[in-house]
Structure formats: C-alpha cells, structure tokens
Amino acid sequence: MTLPSRRDGDRPPGPSHGRPGNQDDDRPGTPSTGGAGSAGATRRVALGVGGTAVLLAALDAYVVVTVLVDIAKDVGVPINHLERATPVVTGFLLGYIAAMPLLGQLSDRYGRRPLIHACLAGFAAGSAVTALATSVPALTAGRTLQGIAGGALLPITMALVGDLWDERTRPVALGAVGAAQELGSVLGPLYGAGLAALAGWRGIFWVNIPLALLAAVAAHRTVPPPAPRTGPRTRVDAGGGLLLALALGLLVAGLYNPEPDKAVLPPWGVPAIAAGLVALVAFAVWEARARTRLLDMTGVRRGPFAASLVVSFLTGAALLVTLVDVQLTAQTLLEEDTVGGALLLSRFLVALAVAAFLGGLLARRFGERAIAVAGLAVACAGYALISRWPMDLAGAAYPLGLPRVDADLVVAGLGVGAVIAPISSAVLRTTPAERHGVAAAAVVVARMMGMLLGVAALSAWGFHRFQSLTAHLDTPLPFGVEQAEYARRLAEYTGKVQAALHTEYTEIFLLTAILCGVGAFVALALPARAVPAPAAARRDDRAATEHP
C-alpha cells in the first residue's frame, strides 16, 4: 500500500484515484466556494464511514476475551483445557495481520470503495460462520475470515485519507482513524460482555451482519468510486505478503499445543517455528530486493523506526495477555461471571484510555522517548505487583483500604496506555510525510503481531505449567465413599486446582513485567525531544488543524 506523494499545487495527469470532483476545490485552504464546501463535507463523511468500519473490525479483535470461557463451554472444551480454544483468539489476529498490508495494496490497484465493500462482505460472512459454529475448527475458520476482512479496513481507510487530504493536513485525519483503532481495544471487551449478557455470545457475531450492511451502504454513498487510470497499473507485492502470512502462520502453529501436559511445545513445534523463522528471513530478503515493497524504507530513519515497532510489538503482547488473563483470573479464582470479569477488567481499560490521551500531551512537552520509557517502566512495576497477587485476592488491600486488584490494574493500564501516542508520534517523525499512512499502519501491525505471538507463546508456557502442576491430582468420584468424605476430597481437589491456576497466572504476569522492562530499554532508541518550531510554523500548523 502506498500513499500519494504529490506536493500542494501539483496536479496529476488524470483524475485522482479517489479524490472527487475538482482537485483544487477539494483541497484544504482553497478559497471558499459552494463546490469546495460540499466536497469538504463529503470528504469528512467518508472519513467517518471509514473510521466506523475500522472501529467495527477493531472491536471484534477483542470481543472474545471476556466470553472465551463461555464459548469454550458451549463447544465442549473443558475449563482445564482452555488451550484448545486459543485458536479462536489467534485465528482472528493471524488473519488480521496477514491480510492488512496485501489488501491495502490491492486497494491501490482496484480502488478503495470496491475493497471496502469486499471486506465488509467478508467480515459479515465470517461473523455468520462464527455465530453458527459448534466446534473449535469452525469457530477458528469464522474468526480467521473475520480477521482477514477486518484487518484490511485499516490500511484502506488510511489510504483513503491519502487520497482526500493533502500532506499538511493529512496527519489530523490519520489521527482520527488511529483513534478509532485504539478505541476498539478499550471498548471491545466491555462491548462483548454487554452483548453476551443480552443475547449470548453468538449474538455478538449476529449483530455484525446488519452493522456491516449499513457500513457498506454508507461507504457506497460517500466513498469516491475508483477513477479510470491512464498510467501503468499499481504493482502489488504478493510475494512479500504471502511470505509474511506463511511466517506468522508457521510460528503460531508451532506454539499451539493441544496437549500441554506433555511438553511446552507440540511434537511439530520446533520444526514449525524453525520454518517460520526461515520464512521471516526470506521475507526480509525479498523486501530488500523487491521493486514493489509492503513498506518502502526510503528516507526512513531506520533505527528509531525499528525501535518504535519493537516497542509496539512488546506493548501489544502485554495488552492482550492482560485482556485474556485478567478475565480468566476473575472467572476462575474470583468466581465472577462474564459481566463481572469485564467490570474488573474495566479498571485497566479506563486507565489505559486516560493514559493514552495524557501520553500524547506529555509527549508533546517532554518528547516521545521520555514518555515511552516512563510508561513502560510504570507498566513493568504494575505487572510485577499483579504477579504477587495473593490467593485471597478478593480481600487483598493496601493501606487505607485501597483494593489491591483495582490499584494494580490501574497502574498497569496507566503504563501501557501512556506508550500508545508516543510510539505513533515517533514513527511519524521518522518517516517522510507521504508514507505516514503506511507507517501508522505498521505500528498497528507490529502491535497485533505482539498480541498474536505474545499470547501464543505465554499461553503455551502457562497451559503447560498448569498441566504440570495438576498432573498428580486425581479427580474425586462420589462412588464408594460417604457424602461428607466426598465433599472434603472435592474441596481439597478444587483448592489445589485453584492454587495451580494462581501459580500459572502470577508467572505469566511476571513474564509480562519482564517484557515491559525490555520495552523500556528498547524505547531509549526512540527519537529525542523535537526542537520547537518557529512561531510562524506553529501558526500554520494551527490553521491546518482548524480547517481540515
């Protein structure tokens, strides 16, 4: 996927790929005319429609974390073998990441509107398959189709921004699209729990169908149709996209272990992971030599850019581990239902949203590096505190009666949230303006890759650890013993299972704290604080922001 790189005042040799009407009339800052005002309004509506589609897909990336236990029970997966249900989460993320760059490039060739329609249709079809599924393979197939279709909506919408906004005012519109993507991570778990409480977990996916239809109608009415091209057709890096998808698929397959009681990795784990790493190397070599690339690094400050993506990767791993394991902790140790678990998780999510806003303001004053390092250090401390949660979590409190679970989740949420804006800002500072859309999408891809591989790796370890801790336990049976003796044995067995779960969760959160500590170290390579712009330039920037 590429964004237009023309300068203000340049006119391409034919109609714009997506810009409606007169080129100059639609540009921000052009003298006010009736046509310009109408085109500007249409442009903003198109942005709203694209942002809504991005939000719809982003919500579905997170809806299952609060209802995973309910889904597992409904398709016959026992609570002590939740590892068999993890493909429901990783399948969506794999499709989301693998399809994002390639389908974004296809929209360069065939137009934004047709690809948005195709993606929304695929998203609705995947939702229907998921809602009808009665087994884990069917669920995984539906979720993967959802991910493939939903993942493409982000780069397509960002490319649409590149079509409709000039370079000076484009960052404001890109920020709106990015905000829609981030909002999905905050609202997704609560949205899923709320819908599940009203209509069951299948209702979460049935409601996507009319929403996708409404979005398709709105896109048809507001997104400009593809204009005929007179030049050569846009090239698509199919080889790079397929190599990236193959690498991620092999890595996830190698980490998926349906029998964690025997080993951390399945019998095919080491060969699959090795093949995945080889595919990643092949992808890097391909991208270095290909004429058309998924991400053109020309003019990019590679060190800070790479550091930004690594930090985004590690932050993504910490985020999804929190979303999944806090919910599991609530439902298995605190015996909360789906809604209760979502409400517990809301402590983290609200703190994350607040810190994401404050992180942008603080990064503007103190620089991206300082805020990212500080945020990850706070997150590291928060997860270290969570890793020391006692078994009697419901009654645990700090001095003055402050509930420990609430305080620790808020600390972790503040740390993770504070990193979001500085990372996006750092990436935009290290890339040329004409590649801001692709660079912003790369941040999301890196975060999603962290979610995908992080939750797969930590889950593989956690489930193996749980099985090793409970392998010696015998499930008590109510035969040949008195009722009182059976109740005593059952209570003893349940206590040991809960102790094993507690050990599993605390070790996973400790590993998450280590990841955040590594991220803080990597964040030291982010760009330093920018030199303040002259007063005249600041006035121009304010004018561009106020009149997008």
Side-chain angles (χ1 to χ4, degrees):
M1 182 188 68
T2 57
L3 287 174
S5 59
R6 61 180 181 269
R7 300 180 301 273
D8 290 348
D10 293 342
R11 183 187 294 274
S16 169
H17 180 66
R19 187 183 297 278
N22 183 285
Q23 291 278 345
D24 296 325
D25 286 350
D26 191 28
R27 286 185 181 275
T30 303
S32 178
T33 66
S38 175
T42 300
R43 182 180 59 182
R44 287 189 290 272
V45 172
L47 175 63
V49 170
T52 301
V54 168
L55 175 61
L56 178 63
L59 286 172
D60 261 57
Y62 304 95
V63 290
V64 298
V65 298
T66 49
V67 295
L68 186 60
V69 173
D70 295 339
I71 292 175
K73 290 179 180 177
D74 208 22
V75 297
V77 175
I79 190 67
N80 60 335
H81 285 287
L82 279 178
E83 67 277 357
R84 299 174 186 172
T86 55
V88 177
V89 177
T90 56
F92 183 96
L93 294 173
L94 178 60
Y96 198 96
I97 299 166
M100 185 181 289
L102 189 57
L103 291 180
Q105 284 191 336
L106 286 176
S107 77
D108 289 339
R109 171 178 286 192
Y110 299 109
R112 316 303 179 205
R113 185 200 282 179
L115 264 292
I116 289 176
H117 284 162
C119 289
L120 289 171
F123 186 78
S127 298
V129 171
T130 305
L132 293 169
T134 57
S135 65
V136 172
L139 275 169
T140 304
R143 290 287 289 165
T144 303
L145 180 55
Q146 276 190 295
I148 291 172
L153 290 170
L154 177 66
I156 293 173
T157 301
M158 286 184 164
L160 179 65
V161 169
D163 296 338
L164 301 181
W165 269 262
D166 63 26
E167 291 180 11
R168 189 173 63 176
T169 56
R170 189 179 297 157
V172 178
L174 289 174
V177 177
Q181 171 70 26
E182 300 301 341
L183 192 60
S185 65
V186 176
L187 297 181
L190 304 178
Y191 169 78
L195 276 180
L198 294 174
W201 69 265
R202 296 181 190 274
I204 297 173
F205 303 103
W206 283 124
V207 78
N208 284 339
I209 297 175
L211 291 177
L213 178 60
L214 289 174
V217 172
H220 187 78
R221 294 177 63 88
T222 61
V223 176
R229 284 187 176 274
T230 57
R233 301 184 72 181
T234 303
R235 298 174 65 90
V236 176
D237 186 14
L242 292 176
L243 281 172
L244 178 61
L246 176 64
L248 292 174
L250 287 169
L251 290 174
V252 172
L255 292 170
Y256 172 62
N257 187 5
E259 297 180 348
D261 54 318
K262 298 179 180 178
V264 176
L265 297 176
W268 62 85
V270 173
I273 292 174
L277 294 175
V278 170
L280 277 179
V281 172
F283 168 73
V285 173
W286 175 279
E287 289 297 299
R289 298 182 177 182
R291 293 178 59 189
T292 301
R293 304 168 183 171
L294 293 180
L295 179 60
D296 188 354
M297 297 293 288
T298 304
V300 176
R301 295 166 57 191
R302 300 192 178 212
F305 181 81
S308 300
L309 296 189
V310 171
V311 172
S312 185
F313 179 94
L314 295 173
T315 304
L319 175 60
L320 193 60
V321 166
T322 308
L323 297 182
V324 172
D325 278 45
V326 168
Q327 181 72 18
L328 292 177
T329 298
Q331 294 185 256
T332 56
L333 295 184
L334 297 177
E335 299 182 351
E336 297 279 1
D337 58 12
T338 299
V339 176
L343 292 176
L344 179 68
L345 187 59
S346 67
R347 278 75 160 173
F348 174 85
L349 295 174
V350 171
L352 182 141
V354 171
F357 174 74
L358 294 177
L361 298 178
L362 293 172
R364 185 174 182 180
R365 180 175 179 84
F366 300 105
E368 294 93 349
R369 179 195 297 170
I371 301 306
V373 171
L376 285 164
V378 171
C380 179
Y383 287 115
L385 291 172
I386 294 173
S387 72
R388 298 179 64 83
W389 277 353
M391 274 288 294
D392 183 19
L393 184 56
Y398 287 116
L400 303 178
L402 181 65
R404 179 167 182 173
V405 63
D406 295 350
D408 294 349
L409 287 174
V410 166
V411 171
L414 290 174
V416 173
V419 180
I420 294 174
I423 294 304
S424 298
S425 176
V427 162
L428 294 180
R429 282 183 56 196
T430 58
T431 54
E434 65 270 16
R435 296 191 184 91
H436 278 179
V438 179
V443 175
V444 178
V445 170
R447 187 179 307 137
M448 289 291 187
M449 288 179 64
M451 292 180 180
L452 174 64
L453 299 179
V455 77
L458 290 179
S459 294
W461 161 256
F463 288 129
H464 169 70
R465 183 73 170 126
F466 173 76
Q467 293 295 335
S468 66
L469 291 171
T470 57
H472 65 285
L473 299 180
D474 294 323
T475 305
L477 299 175
F479 305 117
V481 295
E482 296 183 358
Q483 185 66 27
E485 177 62 16
Y486 169 71
R488 186 192 66 78
R489 293 181 182 179
L490 182 61
E492 181 181 359
Y493 171 81
T494 302
K496 291 180 178 179
V497 168
Q498 287 194 322
L501 287 170
H502 175 261
T503 300
E504 174 195 352
Y505 297 149
T506 55
E507 290 179 354
I508 286 179
F509 283 122
L510 181 59
L511 291 172
T512 307
I514 294 173
L515 289 181
C516 291
V518 173
F521 179 77
V522 175
L524 292 172
L526 295 180
R529 182 181 177 185
V531 178
R538 290 197 298 267
R539 286 195 298 270
D540 290 342
D541 290 342
R542 284 198 299 270
T545 303
E546 293 167 359
H547 302 285

